[in-house]
């Protein structure tokens, strides 16, 4: 089992400051990158290297599609598909995450420019754990308290008092995802990986 802690991910904010402001990271066990994007209904498929190029494309897509489509890049890391969304939220939407997790495991975490954040762990279409990393003491899901020791070890302060620590909650989300999946993300991996990318149309209200 991984023993990752928040301190193992200090590089994320330092090396990818733009992505750190607004991102969604999703890990799904099993599907190839192309297959995952197909399941999401993605169009305009292309290949890109490194998350810096993904970030630039994501904002171009937002402007071009006027918010009706979200850009995502997917790469394979062992038996897992890693989906990176700069300024996206597919990985925390039940509409997308429930079907992606059917018959497998999906773990995702998200933060936007307003510091709203979410962490999800799904097994076979069921949400086992959900919480906001800033407020990790408040959790829901089918087993919200089954991973408390793992959350603490990753770096979350689960106390409810006013003096609890808010430090490194984003980094702790990365560490918890690693502990649940065994997938360690590094800046070298994010810089050098080839991503299959596409635009996922959003449902019409």
């Amino acid at each position: 089992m991984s023993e990752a802690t928040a301190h193992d991910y200090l590089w994320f904010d330092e090396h990818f400051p733009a992505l750190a402001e607004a991102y969604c990271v999703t890990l799904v066990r099993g599907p190839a990158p192309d297959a995952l994007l197909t399941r999401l209904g993605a169009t305009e498929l292309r290949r890109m290297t490194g998350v810096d190029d993904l970030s630039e494309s994501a904002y171009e897509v937002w402007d071009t599609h006027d918010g009706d489509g979200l850009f995502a890049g997917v790469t394979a890391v062992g038996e897992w598909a890693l989906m990176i969304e700069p300024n996206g939220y597919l990985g925390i939407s039940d509409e997308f995450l429930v079907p992606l997790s059917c018959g497998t495991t999906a773990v995702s975490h998200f933060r936007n420019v307003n510091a709203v954040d979410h962490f999800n762990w799904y097994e076979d279409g069921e949400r086992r754990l959900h919480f906001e990393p800033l407020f990790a003491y408040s959790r829901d899901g089918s087993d919200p308290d089954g991973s408390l020791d793992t959350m603490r070890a990753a770096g979350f302060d689960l106390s409810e008092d006013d003096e609890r620590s808010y430090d490194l909650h984003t980094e702790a989300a990365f560490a918890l995802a690693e502990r649940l999946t065994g997938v360690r993300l590094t800046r070298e991996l994010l810089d050098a990986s080839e991503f299959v990318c596409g635009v996922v149309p959003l449902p019409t209200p």
Side-chain angles (χ1 to χ4, degrees), residues 65-93:
H65 290 263
D66 198 26
D68 290 332
L70 292 176
F71 181 85
V74 187
T75 192
V77 184
E79 63 178 336
W80 293 81
L82 166 67
M83 181 167 72
I84 303 289
E85 299 174 71
N87 195 39
Y89 53 84
L90 299 171
I92 61 160
S93 168

Side-chain angles (χ1 to χ4, degrees), residues 26-95:
T26 306
L27 286 156
V28 184
R29 189 200 302 267
D34 303 73
L36 189 149
L37 285 171
T38 296
R39 291 171 63 180
L40 291 174
T43 61
E44 302 179 38
L45 297 185
R46 52 186 141 152
R47 294 181 181 271
M48 309 180 74
T49 300
V51 297
D52 285 342
D53 284 348
L54 265 62
S55 295
E56 183 177 341
S57 294
Y59 286 96
E60 289 175 357
V61 165
W62 183 267
D63 291 338
T64 301
H65 290 263
D66 198 26
D68 290 332
L70 292 176
F71 181 85
V74 187
T75 192
V77 184
E79 63 178 336
W80 293 81
L82 166 67
M83 181 167 72
I84 303 289
E85 299 174 71
N87 195 39
Y89 53 84
L90 299 171
I92 61 160
S93 168
D94 278 351
E95 182 165 359

Side-chain angles (χ1 to χ4, degrees), residues 97-106 121-128:
L97 201 56
V98 169
L100 283 181
S101 67
C102 284
T104 190
T105 300
W121 173 17
Y122 278 72
E123 293 281 354
D124 195 18
E126 178 182 75
R127 184 164 65 184
R128 293 189 57 177

